[in-house]
Amino acid sequence: MDIVILAGFLGGGKTSTLNFLIQDAIDQELKPAVMMNDFGAKNVDAQLVTEDVKMEVLTNGCICCDLKANVSQQLHQLYLTHQPDIVFIECSGAAHPVEVFDACMTPVLAPFIQDLSMLGIVDAAAYKSRDTLPEPIQTLMDEQIRYCSHLIVNKIDLLESDQLLAVVQTLQQHYPDTPYILTRYGEITLQEIQHASEYHIGERSSVHHHGHLSHMLYEFQSPIQQSALIEGLKGLKDVFRVKGFVYFKGCETPYVVQYTPGHLELKPCPIEMSPYLVVVGHDLNEVDITETLDIIEFSS
């Protein structure tokens, strides 16, 4: 079987890229399977996969640390039980893909693996502003893409031409041997990533950072006002990603919430979901965030 690992910092577009790759695999009459990891207690991204495929979900830990042994075990079980042609592994935004690579290359799994690609999904707009982020976060972002076989430079439509050129030049300077693909919504194909894959796993940092990332789960008890959510999210500090499901007053169906600083996406969800938000950030102040989300709920 083939394996494709999707890695990158929070909000880069890993799940969107995953959906394009799953559809491409199905179009080629391949049998895909998915392993997905989220940093919190619940996995929002698993609900956003658009195709009906076999999926294994790992939560409440990082796929490269707490759950690393689970990767090897579940991959082996996937192969024995479902015989997929290709397995997509989406890492959490806090994970180091090289550790997942190691988990895939155990003596038990190695004989079954024909091709292994490791994709670094880069949010072009966020990468442009990386120097404003705390140093541990910058280190994490670098380690997430340093060893990848391909860089997927995503959300390029959010930058002006000169800004995008500067991002590409910086990436080429830092990772000169790694091919890159420019996309707006993660629209790539298997053919683009499964040829001449090379891995750059030489020297590795002796310190394993998660960049002081932390996460929390907040569950809503009642519908809220959309305007209250928008204003409340703007006031959150040290937050890199908020995702989940909410019910708005006057709406019967839930909405998917996808938030990164400066960008909020709300989309109707066709199925019933429990209302909750997963918040990921840098040394989160849980008391302040809970108070902010309480205000959103109680003022609605």
Side-chain angles (χ1 to χ4, degrees), residues 239-261:
V239 167
F240 299 118
R241 185 85 152 102
V242 178
K243 54 186 176 181
F245 304 90
V246 299
Y247 284 83
F248 291 124
K249 286 191 172 180
C251 299
E252 294 184 1
T253 59
Y255 273 69
V256 180
V257 178
Q258 298 271 15
Y259 171 79
T260 53

Side-chain angles (χ1 to χ4, degrees), residues 20-58:
F20 278 106
L21 291 173
I22 291 173
Q23 185 58 60
D24 189 42
I26 293 172
D27 290 345
Q28 296 185 43
E29 299 184 351
L30 299 174
K31 183 179 180 181
V34 173
M35 291 184 65
M36 185 171 283
N37 172 226
D38 220 343
F39 197 50
K42 295 191 178 184
N43 192 302
V44 177
D45 292 335
Q47 312 299 329
L48 305 181
V49 174
T50 57
E51 299 296 335
D52 184 16
V53 297
K54 175 60 182 175
M55 182 179 298
E56 298 286 346
V57 177
L58 306 171

Side-chain angles (χ1 to χ4, degrees), residues 100-168:
V100 182
F101 177 94
D102 288 344
C104 294
M105 299 308 293
T106 63
V108 173
L109 288 172
F112 305 129
I113 298 174
Q114 295 179 315
D115 187 88
L116 198 159
S117 300
M118 202 154 52
L119 312 182
I121 316 299
V122 180
D123 180 333
Y127 193 82
K128 178 180 75 70
S129 307
R130 71 196 179 286
D131 292 341
T132 64
L133 298 172
E135 186 174 340
I137 299 298
Q138 294 185 47
T139 300
L140 172 62
M141 294 175 74
D142 171 64
E143 293 187 352
Q144 285 178 324
I145 62 178
R146 183 188 305 173
Y147 308 110
C148 289
S149 57
H150 298 77
L151 299 182
I152 313 302
V153 185
N154 197 28
K155 302 184 180 182
I156 62 173
D157 54 311
L158 300 181
L159 295 181
E160 300 295 334
S161 298
D162 58 333
Q163 295 173 325
L164 176 59
L165 179 60
V167 166
V168 170

